[in-house]
């Protein structure tokens, strides 16, 4: 069960990371990157960021690009939230494949 502080920090990181990834989606035509969920550890040292990437065929490629540039994204997050967060958590990116999972279930149900 997440504490109220963890939930507040997760919402703040989700909002700011969405803004940080906006130029990336504008730069890559036909690709949409959105932050669907952020989970913060109890000691607030690590944040797991779940990304929904459309089209899903390019998800692995974009996730690798984002992980390669993780330092610059963490720095930018620090610049944006420096007044609200004392320590910027370490960011770990993961693919949120819940939409693909739902689509597969729908196809199976139709058959």
């Amino acid at each position: 069960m997440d504490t109220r502080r963890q939930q507040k920090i997760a919402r703040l990181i989700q909002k700011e990371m969405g803004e940080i990834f906006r130029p990336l989606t504008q730069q890559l035509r036909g690709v949409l990157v959105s932050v669907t969920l952020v989970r913060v550890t109890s000691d607030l040292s690590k944040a797991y960021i779940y990304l929904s990437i459309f089209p899903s065929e390019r998800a692995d490629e974009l996730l690798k690009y984002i992980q390669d540039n993780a330092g610059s994204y963490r720095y930018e997050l620090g610049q944006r939230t420096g007044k609200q967060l004392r320590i910027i958590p370490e960011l770990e990116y993961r693919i949120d494949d819940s939409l693909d999972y739902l689509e597969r279930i729908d196809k199976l149900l139709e058959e």
Side-chain angles (χ1 to χ4, degrees):
M1 186 78 180
D2 290 344
T3 64
R4 176 174 256 144
R5 178 133 175 88
Q6 283 175 285
Q7 292 171 354
K8 279 182 159 182
I9 290 174
R11 282 193 305 266
L12 175 67
I13 291 173
Q14 182 176 4
K15 177 182 166 276
E16 294 300 332
M17 291 308 292
E19 292 296 319
I20 290 171
F21 287 135
R22 182 175 293 177
L24 178 65
T25 58
Q26 291 172 347
Q27 183 183 27
L28 301 170
R29 303 242 182 244
V31 175
L32 180 66
V33 178
S34 58
V35 180
T36 56
L37 179 68
V38 174
R39 293 204 186 269
V40 181
T41 58
S42 59
D43 63 353
L44 308 177
S45 66
K46 196 168 208 174
Y48 298 98
I49 299 174
Y50 291 86
L51 301 172
S52 176
I53 300 174
F54 180 81
S56 56
E57 296 81 37
R58 295 191 61 191
D60 293 330
E61 169 193 346
L62 283 170
L63 182 64
K64 182 170 177 5
Y65 174 80
I66 289 169
Q67 288 173 339
D68 289 345
N69 296 307
S72 63
Y73 292 132
R74 184 176 181 207
Y75 175 79
E76 191 168 343
L77 179 66
Q79 294 295 312
R80 291 171 174 254
T81 62
K83 303 279 189 217
Q84 295 149 328
L85 296 177
R86 220 173 348 135
I87 297 172
I88 306 303
E90 183 181 329
L91 305 177
E92 186 173 312
Y93 301 96
R94 297 179 176 178
I95 296 288
D96 181 12
D97 59 352
S98 58
L99 292 176
D100 294 334
Y101 180 71
L102 288 173
E103 190 175 312
R104 276 182 273 159
I105 289 175
D106 283 343
K107 284 182 181 178
L108 289 173
L109 290 174
E110 286 175 2
E111 292 176 359

